[in-house]
Every structure is written in structure tokens, then in C-alpha cells.
């Protein structure tokens, strides 16, 4: 599907061959939906989105336990106003506690940036909060990563479920244990949130640099972000420059 979409994109652009940019766009379209470049976005909403994604990007870039950053974009795609993409260096068959905590911090980076720069929060963090909650519950219920509950599985027994019809709301632990589970899930998410907030507060200038670059260029790759974090300046054409160049090319007589 990705190769087919890339071939179509290359054909529409009158290219002689498929380029990496075509494959990138095809992958994003197949996974997250078509880029909605024509969508009219309120200036304030676009600014909030830029800072939201900049928060994710900063945390993703600075935490060594997190997957490496691939790119970040504020181009609307599917239901998303923007997205920060990670590129795992390998296939994972196990998840360490440090890795899980890093993922939680990345999830909260966007919401924290909204709070720090706009003194408000938005619904844009909905999927981030959902993902973080699911991971924290998995850590506590299934993976034995709770210091208080220890290495005990409180999840549904998959072997038994194959032979029995599940009963809605059924669980094999007490109300007291359920309270501890809720408390541990909250503790883990609060800890990740606090650490991510400290990281962003210590790097507010860098968050602002990334956000301003996103407002100017709309999409940044990992090398662009590295350059900004090192104090460098980006020197590449903006979206407006590319459009103007294309229009000038089309207006030239053959």
C-alpha cells in the first residue's frame, strides 16, 4: 500500500522515479490519513498545536530511554492537528520500566507545554492521556512494575478466558486491592508528569525555538531539531517559498 501510494504521489508530481519524500508521505497517509493542507486553521489554534508538538519533541529528543525522534509536523492529518513521530531503532519484544516511563513523559510533553506557554489546556491531549493511562495500567496490572503491588498479575487470565465466557466487571481481587491499583496507576502517571514538566521548564527556550520553527516550516526532521537544540539556525525554504517557486515555474513560457 505504501509503495502504491508513493508511486501515485511521484506520478502526480511528474517525477521520473519514486523519491524518499514520496515514501515518507505515503507511509504517513496510509497510517494516519491524508494531509489536510487546505484546512483553514485559526492562528491561535495553530500556535497552540506548534507548542504542543514542540513539547513532545523536546522530551522525545532529550530522553535517552525514549525512541529516537524521526520528525514532527503541524500539518493536519486525519483527526490530528499535528504529530511527533518516533523511529524505533529495533523491534521490541520486551519493555523495560525505564522505557515505559520515558514513553509516559513523551505523552505528557504536549499538555505540559500548553500549560506553561498558554496557562491553559486543550482537548488536543486526549489521545496522549489515553495512551499514557493504558501503559500505566499495563505496568501495574500485567508487568509487575508497581513497587507496592510487586510482581503479581492482576489482569484477566487469558488461558481461562479461552474456555469461559467473560463476565462483565468480573475481577479476582478485592476492593482494597483495586484501590491500591488505582493509587499506583496515579502515582506512576504523576511521577512521569512531574519529571516531564521539570525537563520542559529547564528547556523552555528550546521548546520555543522548536515551536517557532514549526510555525515557519510546518515540518521538521530529527536533524533540524538537533540543530536547534545545539543553538543553530535553520536555513531552508519555507512552505511559502516552495509554493512561490512552483507558481513561478508554472508561469514561465515553454
Amino acid at each position: 500500500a505504501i509503495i502504491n501510494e508513493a508511486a501515485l504521489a511521484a506520478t502526480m508530481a511528474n517525477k521520473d522515479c519514486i523519491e524518499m519524500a514520496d515514501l515518507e508521505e505515503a507511509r504517513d497517509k496510509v497510517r494516519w490519513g491524508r494531509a489536510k493542507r487546505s484546512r483553514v486553521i485559526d492562528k491561535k489554534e495553530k500556535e497552540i498545536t506548534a507548542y504542543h508538538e514542540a513539547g513532545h519533541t523536546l522530551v522525545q529528543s532529550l530522553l535517552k530511554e525514549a525512541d529516537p525522534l524521526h520528525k514532527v509536523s503541524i500539518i493536519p492529518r486525519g483527526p490530528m492537528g499535528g504529530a511527533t513521530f518516533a523511529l524505533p531503532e529495533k523491534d521490541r519484544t520486551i519493555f523495560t520500566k525505564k522505557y515505559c516511563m520515558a514513553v509516559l513523559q513523551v505523552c505528557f510533553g504536549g499538555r505540559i507545554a500548553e500549560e506553561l506557554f498558554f496557562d491553559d489546556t486543550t482537548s488536543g491531549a486526549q489521545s496522549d492521556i489515553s495512551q499514557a493511562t493504558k501503559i500505566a495500567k499495563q505496568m501495574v496490572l500485567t508487568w509487575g512494575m508497581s513497587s507496592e503491588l510487586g510482581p503479581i498479575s492482576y489482569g484477566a487470565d487469558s488461558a481461562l478466558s479461552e474456555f469461559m465466557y467473560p463476565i462483565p466487571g468480573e475481577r479476582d481481587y478485592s476492593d482494597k486491592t483495586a484501590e491500591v491499583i488505582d493509587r499506583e496507576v496515579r502515582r506512576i502517571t504523576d511521577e512521569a508528569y512531574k519529571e516531564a514538566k521539570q525537563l520542559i521548564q529547564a528547556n523552555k527556550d528550546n521548546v520555543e525555538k522548536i515551536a517557532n520553527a514549526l510555525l515557519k516550516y510546518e515540518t521538521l526532521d530529527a536533524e533540524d531539531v538537533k540543530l536547534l537544540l545545539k543553538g543553530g539556525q535553520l536555513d531552508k525554504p519555507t512552505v511559502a517559498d516552495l509554493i512561490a517557486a512552483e507558481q513561478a515555474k508554472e508561469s514561465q513560457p515553454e
Side-chain angles (χ1 to χ4, degrees):
I2 290 174
I3 296 297
N4 287 338
E5 287 291 346
L8 288 171
T11 302
M12 293 294 290
N14 294 318
K15 295 180 180 179
D16 295 326
C17 62
I18 298 173
E19 299 176 347
M20 182 57 72
D22 302 313
L23 290 168
E24 283 268 352
E25 174 61 27
R27 180 206 56 197
D28 295 347
K29 179 183 176 182
V30 169
R31 186 167 183 183
W32 291 285
R34 184 186 299 275
K36 300 178 180 177
R37 296 178 184 274
S38 61
R39 180 190 290 177
V40 178
I41 302 174
D42 176 77
K43 183 179 178 182
K44 185 68 173 181
E45 183 178 329
K46 189 173 183 179
E47 188 178 1
I48 292 173
T49 301
Y51 277 88
H52 180 104
E53 298 305 330
H56 286 310
T57 300
L58 179 95
V59 179
Q60 190 93 52
S61 300
L62 296 185
L63 289 182
K64 64 179 183 180
E65 294 87 2
D67 289 322
L69 176 73
H70 177 51
K71 70 176 181 179
V72 54
S73 175
I74 58 169
I75 297 174
R77 191 178 291 278
M80 304 182 299
T84 300
F85 305 89
L87 189 64
E89 294 177 312
K90 60 182 179 180
D91 291 333
R92 293 182 181 274
T93 56
I94 60 172
F95 301 96
T96 66
K97 185 176 180 179
K98 289 182 179 179
Y99 173 76
C100 292
M101 292 301 293
V103 173
L104 292 180
Q105 290 182 59
V106 173
C107 285
F108 291 134
R111 180 183 174 92
I112 292 167
E114 291 178 7
E115 289 181 333
L116 292 180
F117 287 93
F118 299 97
D119 193 28
D120 200 359
T121 56
T122 73
S123 60
Q126 175 186 349
S127 61
D128 301 325
I129 294 171
S130 176
Q131 181 184 2
T133 304
K134 289 176 182 177
I135 293 172
K137 285 183 176 180
Q138 194 85 328
M139 291 170 69
V140 172
L141 291 171
T142 309
W143 295 336
M145 293 180 180
S146 162
S147 56
E148 186 170 349
L149 291 168
I152 300 174
S153 173
Y154 293 97
D157 190 326
S158 58
L160 288 178
S161 64
E162 294 178 3
F163 302 100
M164 299 170 61
Y165 291 104
I167 301 174
E170 184 183 27
R171 66 189 188 200
D172 56 0
Y173 48 84
S174 66
D175 290 341
K176 184 176 180 180
T177 299
E179 291 178 4
V180 178
I181 290 172
D182 289 342
R183 187 165 63 243
E184 281 295 277
V185 170
R186 181 60 183 266
R187 180 188 64 78
I188 288 173
T189 53
D190 283 351
E191 181 182 330
Y193 198 95
K194 179 180 178 181
E195 291 178 0
K197 189 171 185 176
Q198 290 173 345
L199 188 62
I200 291 177
Q201 285 176 324
N203 292 273
K204 285 187 71 174
D205 290 347
N206 284 329
V207 174
E208 200 154 14
K209 287 180 185 177
I210 296 169
N212 287 333
L214 281 171
L215 289 169
K216 184 176 182 180
Y217 298 105
E218 293 190 334
T219 299
L220 305 174
D221 61 28
E223 293 303 316
D224 293 333
V225 174
K226 285 180 183 178
L227 181 60
L228 291 172
L229 294 179
K230 290 179 180 178
Q233 298 291 327
L234 295 181
D235 182 18
K236 64 179 186 177
T238 64
V239 175
D241 294 334
L242 294 172
I243 293 175
E246 192 65 28
Q247 289 175 340
K249 187 189 302 182
E250 292 177 356
S251 64
Q252 290 178 352
E254 296 182 0

